[in-house]
Amino acid sequence: MDVFDVCQEVNELIFSGDQVSARNKLIALLAELSAEKAEYPEVLNYQIRETGLYPYLQTDHASWQQKFIIEAFKVDVGRAHATLHREQSLVLSHLLEGTDIAVSAPTSFGKSFIIDAFIAAKEPENVVLIVPTIALMDETRRRVFKKFSDKYNIITTSDMPLGKRNILIFPQERAFGYLNKLSTIDLLIVDEFYKASAVHDKDRSPSLVKAILKLSKIAKQRYFLAPNIKRLEESVFTRGMKFIELLDFNTVFLEIFEIYKHIGKDEAKKSEELLKIISPRTSKSLIYAGSYPQIDKVANLVVGNLGVLDRPLLNHFSRWLADNYDPNWQLTNLVRRGVGVHNGRMHRSLSQIQVKIFESKHGFDSIISTSSIIEGVNTSAENVIIWRSKVGSSNLKNFMYKNIIGRGGRMFKHFVGKIYLLEAPPKDEDAQLQIDFPDTILGDIDEELHRESLTHEQVQKIVEYKSTMGNILGPDEFARLSKSNVLQNSDSDFIMRVAENMKAQPEEWRGLAYLNSDNPDHWDRLLYLIINLSPAGWDVKFSKLVSFVKILSRNWRREIPDLLLELDDEGIDVELFFQLERTVTFKLTTLLSDANELHKVIVDPNVDVSPFIARLGHAFLPGAVYQLEEYGLPRMISRKIHRSGAMNFNDPSLDLPTAIKAFQSIGLETISKIPSLSRFDVYVLKFFYEGITQDPIKS
C-alpha cells in the first residue's frame, strides 16, 4: 500500500464533497498504519481534521492548528478528558444551550461521551436515563459510577432513596416508582427511543410511551437517542424537539462480505463458512443467530467441530457453570471451546460475566446471540456474522439489521468492522419513526389534553374505561389510584378485567391473603385466578407455571442444581428455568401488584399481599441478593458470603445501598479470603467490585 496514493484519493473525495467515502477510505488507512504501528504522514492529520475525526489526530507531529483543534474539542467527561469528534461536539453544544433534541446516529457514534460531558459541565441536580434493558443499565451504571459517584447518588432500583443530586438509570418500568418523588428532572435521556414505536417493539412500547409521557411533564430538557432513523414524525412525545440526523457520520469502516450470494440456501455450505470464519480464533466474532432454536443449532455446530481449548479462564468458568448450574448444559461445553452465549433469558449476572470474558484477551473468541446483544450491551467485535436474517420467526427488518452490523468495529480498537452475511440482508427502507398511543395504555391518558393525537375510537375507549372504573371503584378512589401511579401494568384492559371480576365475584377473591402463607400449597387457587385473567404470553401450561413458583420459593435455601432436579419432573430444564424466573419476577409480580391494589378498594381494605409480591419479585431471594445480581454478583456467591458470616443477607434492614456500603467497607482483599470461594468466584468478585468503586481494582 502506498500511503500517499491513498491520501491523494482521500483528498479528491474531500474536495468533491463525498465525506462518507473519504472517511471510510481514511479509516481503512488508519487501520493499516495502526497495525504496523507506523507514524502518520503530516497530510493524514490534515485529512482527519477535514473529515471531523478529531480523536484520531496524532499529536506527536501535529501542526499548532491541529493541536489547537485537539484542545478546543477536549471536554471533561467525568474524572478524565476526551477529544470529541465534530458531530459529538455539535450535539453537546445544543444540549448545553438547553435545546430539546432527538439524535439519530450510528452505533459507533460515541453517545456516552456526550452525556458524561453534559453532566460534568452543567452539574444538573436530577438526570433520568431510561435504557431498554437491565444489562445496559448495569453497563451504564458502571461507567457513571466511576465518574460521578463522588458527587451524585446513582439510582438503579425503584426503592433507593433520593439524594441532593441524583442520576437515575433504569428501564422504563422502574421509572413509575419515582414519579411522585421527583418534582423536576433537569435532563431526561431516553436511549433507544425508537422502541416507543410498536412497529419496532410491540412488547415494550406501551410502557415506554407511558414513561416518556409522564416523565416529560417534569423534565426541563429532553435528549432522545436512536440509531438508523432518517425522519422523525412530530408527535406529542417529540413536540418541540430538534431532530438531528447524523447517520452518515461514521467513526469506523464496515467491510461487508456477501457470502450468501455464492452459498445460496445450502445449510451445509453455510455451516462450513461460519466455521471457516471463527475457527482460526484470531479475532473476536459476534454471531447473530436470530432465535433460541438457531442459537442451539450454532452451538451444536461449534461443539461438534471446534476442539476444546486449554485456557485457564475458560476452564475455571466451565467448572463453575457445571457446579452452579448443570454439567450437561450446552453452555458448559461451549465455554471450553471459546464460545459464549448471550440472550435475554439467562441470569443477568451470567450475561454480564460472559461479556467481560468476551472482551478479555484470553477469553471467548466468539459469542452467539439473539437481538439481546444489541439491546443489552455496548460491546463490539472485529467480526459480526449474520447467521440468520430473522428475529424469532419474523424477517429481520432493515432497521435492526443496521443496528446489528453497527456492532462491528470500535474506535481505536477495530478501525474496520468485518460483516459476514450468511443470509441475504433485508431490503433498504425509508426509516421514518412514528410514535402513536398504544390502545393498552389509553386508560392512563387524558383524552382532553391529547385529543388531537388520538383517534375518535381511542377517545371513546378512554371515556368508557374511566366510566367503568369510576363506577366500580368510586370516582374518588379511581382518581387517587390514577394520580398516585400505584398501578404498574401498562395494559388498561387487564386492569379493568380484574376490577370487573372482583366486583362481580368478590367471594372468589376472599382467599387472597393466603398468598402470604409460608406454605406454597396454599397459593395454587389464587395464582391460577390471576394467570387466567391474563392468559397470553406465559409460554408454558398454567399448571407447570404454578409448580415452578412453588419450587422457586426454596430458591435461597437450595442450590440451583437441586432445584433443577425437582423441576425435572415438570419438564423444566435450565433454559426454561431462566425464562420462567424472568416471567414470574416481572410479569406475574406486576399483575399481582395491581390486583392487590384493586382488592383493597373493591373487596377488603384489610388484606395486603405486598409481602408475597416482594418475595416473588426477588425470586424468593433476599432483596439485596436479587438486586446485587444486576450489579454482577451471582446469588451463589452471595450465599457463600452469607454462610461465612461476613454479611447477613437475611437481615431485613440490609437493602441494596447498605449492602454495597458493606462490601466497600469490607474490601475485595478481605472478602476474597472466604475459604469456600473458588478461583472463579474471586474473578467474579473482582468484576463486581470494579462496578462499585471509583478507583481501579488491583490484580
Side-chain angles (χ1 to χ4, degrees), residues 289 291-299 330 341-343 368-370:
S291 67
Y292 292 101
Q294 290 298 316
I295 282 183
D296 289 341
K297 189 170 183 176
V298 174
Q330 189 181 63
V341 172
H342 194 288
N343 61 51
I368 312 165
S369 176
T370 57

Side-chain angles (χ1 to χ4, degrees), residues 485-613:
N485 296 299
V486 295
L487 298 179
Q488 299 177 21
N489 204 299
S490 295
D491 188 348
S492 303
D493 291 338
F494 167 78
I495 291 171
M496 188 163 69
R497 200 157 55 242
V498 172
E500 289 175 329
N501 188 275
M502 286 182 179
K503 189 72 172 178
Q505 304 179 64
E507 67 283 353
E508 287 289 311
W509 292 88
R510 296 212 185 272
L512 190 67
Y514 278 115
L515 289 176
N516 285 333
S517 169
D518 290 331
N519 185 349
D521 290 334
H522 293 163
W523 304 343
D524 295 57
R525 188 180 67 81
L526 276 304
L527 291 177
Y528 278 117
L529 183 59
I530 292 290
I531 294 166
N532 274 301
L533 286 170
S534 182
W538 299 103
D539 299 324
V540 292
K541 290 181 179 179
F542 295 171
S543 59
K544 187 178 290 190
L545 183 66
V546 172
S547 295
F548 174 79
V549 172
K550 292 164 70 174
I551 292 172
L552 189 69
S553 67
R554 298 187 279 277
N555 206 1
W556 181 234
R557 303 191 303 273
R558 305 286 299 277
E559 307 284 349
I560 288 176
D562 297 328
L563 295 177
L564 290 173
L565 277 176
E566 289 189 70
L567 291 166
D568 189 54
D569 292 338
E570 300 289 338
I572 296 173
D573 61 8
V574 64
E575 295 285 357
L576 190 52
F577 177 89
F578 290 141
Q579 181 182 342
L580 293 179
E581 188 179 271
R582 284 177 66 86
T583 299
V584 301
T585 54
F586 175 64
K587 181 177 179 179
L588 184 56
T589 300
T590 303
L591 299 181
L592 279 168
S593 179
D594 289 346
N596 186 44
E597 294 299 328
L598 294 170
H599 187 273
K600 291 175 190 176
V601 178
I602 301 169
V603 182
D604 189 344
N606 297 313
V607 172
D608 181 14
V609 294
S610 296
F612 174 79
I613 294 167

Side-chain angles (χ1 to χ4, degrees), residues 70-78 80-84 89 92 113 117 120:
I70 293 169
E71 291 303 315
F73 284 85
K74 187 176 286 185
V75 294
D76 182 355
V77 291
H81 286 78
T83 300
L84 303 182
S89 183
L92 178 60
F113 276 136

Side-chain angles (χ1 to χ4, degrees), residues 41-232:
E42 189 175 337
V43 66
L44 199 56
N45 260 353
Y46 164 79
Q47 293 177 332
I48 290 170
R49 174 184 166 186
E50 287 297 305
T51 53
L53 295 169
Y54 306 141
Y56 284 141
L57 284 168
Q58 200 172 63
T59 57
D60 292 347
H61 302 288
S63 66
W64 73 265
Q65 295 100 327
Q66 288 154 1
K67 288 179 179 177
F68 176 78
I69 288 285
I70 293 169
E71 291 303 315
F73 284 85
K74 187 176 286 185
V75 294
D76 182 355
V77 291
R79 302 190 81 201
H81 286 78
T83 300
L84 303 182
H85 58 64
R86 186 176 61 209
E87 266 60 16
Q88 280 176 321
S89 183
L90 169 70
V91 173
L92 178 60
S93 64
H94 282 299
L95 279 179
L96 293 175
E97 289 167 2
T99 308
D100 289 335
I101 56 175
V103 176
S104 177
T107 306
S108 61
F109 185 79
K111 59 192 176 186
S112 301
F113 276 136
I114 299 171
I115 295 170
D116 297 349
F118 177 89
I119 294 171
K122 296 281 280 190
E123 297 187 342
E125 285 189 9
N126 292 311
V127 175
V128 174
L129 175 50
I130 303 297
V131 295
T133 64
I134 296 292
L136 190 55
M137 178 194 79
D138 184 67
E139 183 178 294
T140 306
R141 176 195 64 80
R142 285 171 174 268
R143 187 192 82 243
V144 170
F145 190 95
K146 290 280 186 191
K147 297 178 176 183
F148 301 111
S149 62
D150 56 337
K151 296 179 180 178
Y152 283 87
N153 191 24
I154 313 297
I155 294 174
T156 58
T157 64
S158 52
D159 54 0
M160 292 175 72
L162 291 170
K164 185 178 179 182
R165 286 183 177 173
N166 307 281
I167 300 175
L168 301 92
I169 310 163
F170 33 52
Q172 58 267 13
E173 295 84 4
R174 295 188 183 179
F176 304 123
Y178 284 91
L179 285 171
N180 296 326
K181 300 175 184 177
L182 288 167
S183 56
T184 59
I185 298 170
D186 295 287
L187 181 64
L188 170 63
I189 305 162
V190 182
D191 196 7
E192 309 286 343
F193 80 93
Y194 69 90
K195 290 180 176 294
S197 168
V199 173
H200 296 296
D201 198 328
K202 61 180 173 46
D203 295 326
R204 289 189 184 131
S205 66
S207 57
L208 182 53
V209 164
K210 185 176 171 180
I212 290 174
L213 204 62
K214 289 180 177 291
L215 293 170
S216 293
K217 289 180 181 178
I218 56 172
K220 296 177 182 177
Q221 189 176 1
R222 295 168 295 159
Y223 177 34
F224 293 178
L225 301 153
N228 309 318
I229 297 169
K230 289 268 186 196
R231 292 200 305 277
L232 179 64

Side-chain angles (χ1 to χ4, degrees), residues 213-460:
L213 204 62
K214 289 180 177 291
L215 293 170
S216 293
K217 289 180 181 178
I218 56 172
K220 296 177 182 177
Q221 189 176 1
R222 295 168 295 159
Y223 177 34
F224 293 178
L225 301 153
N228 309 318
I229 297 169
K230 289 268 186 196
R231 292 200 305 277
L232 179 64
E233 187 170 299
E234 184 174 302
S235 68
V236 64
F237 312 103
T238 58
R239 188 167 295 141
M241 300 189 82
K242 179 181 180 65
F243 178 56
I244 304 174
E245 190 263 293
L246 299 168
L247 292 179
D248 289 338
F249 193 88
N250 54 310
T251 58
V252 297
F253 172 50
L254 300 183
E255 187 177 6
I256 297 177
F257 301 89
E258 297 175 321
I259 297 172
Y260 69 91
K261 287 186 174 179
H262 70 261
I263 63 172
K265 296 185 178 181
D266 189 321
E267 289 292 315
K269 288 183 179 177
K270 182 176 164 186
S271 299
E272 287 174 13
E273 290 294 338
L274 175 65
L275 292 170
K276 193 186 298 181
I277 299 165
I278 66 174
S279 291
R281 292 165 165 160
T282 54
S283 57
K284 302 282 187 178
S285 298
L286 289 176
I287 305 167
Y288 174 74
S291 67
Y292 292 101
Q294 290 298 316
I295 282 183
D296 289 341
K297 189 170 183 176
V298 174
N300 290 333
L301 185 66
V302 168
V303 171
N305 291 275
L306 293 188
V308 171
L309 297 171
D310 185 19
R311 294 180 186 169
L313 178 57
L314 302 184
N315 294 339
H316 288 303
F317 185 35
S318 182
R319 281 196 294 272
W320 188 86
L321 290 171
D323 292 340
N324 292 289
Y325 288 96
D326 184 349
N328 299 314
W329 185 18
Q330 189 181 63
L331 180 61
T332 309
N333 294 315
L334 271 179
V335 165
R336 298 175 65 213
R337 290 161 173 81
V339 179
V341 172
H342 194 288
N343 61 51
R345 290 178 180 170
M346 64 177 59
H347 287 154
R348 291 149 182 166
S349 56
L350 194 51
S351 297
Q352 293 164 31
I353 291 164
Q354 288 194 85
V355 170
K356 177 174 175 59
I357 293 173
F358 178 63
E359 293 182 341
S360 300
K361 185 177 180 181
H362 301 295
F364 293 142
D365 301 310
S366 303
I367 195 161
I368 312 165
S369 176
T370 57
S371 60
S372 66
I373 202 74
I374 60 169
E375 298 170 341
V377 288
N378 280 324
T379 193
S380 62
E382 185 175 351
N383 305 323
V384 173
I385 304 165
I386 305 290
W387 166 263
R388 191 88 166 123
S389 198
K390 295 269 189 180
V391 181
S393 58
S394 304
N395 289 330
L396 188 65
K397 292 186 177 180
N398 184 62
F399 186 92
M400 185 173 281
Y401 162 74
K402 287 185 176 176
N403 209 353
I404 295 167
I405 66 173
R407 296 292 166 185
R410 178 183 284 180
M411 286 187 76
F412 299 109
K413 192 172 183 182
H414 309 299
F415 289 87
V416 178
K418 297 179 180 179
I419 314 300
Y420 296 92
L421 305 181
L422 302 182
E423 286 197 353
K427 292 181 180 178
D428 207 5
E429 297 172 352
D430 182 19
Q432 175 176 313
L433 184 66
Q434 180 177 338
I435 305 173
D436 299 313
F437 281 109
D439 283 356
T440 54
I441 71 162
L442 292 178
D444 230 4
I445 302 301
D446 185 327
E447 75 278 13
E448 294 300 327
L449 185 63
H450 300 297
R451 186 176 290 271
E452 64 184 60
S453 302
L454 299 163
T455 65
H456 175 72
E457 290 75 16
Q458 287 179 319
V459 171
Q460 286 297 111

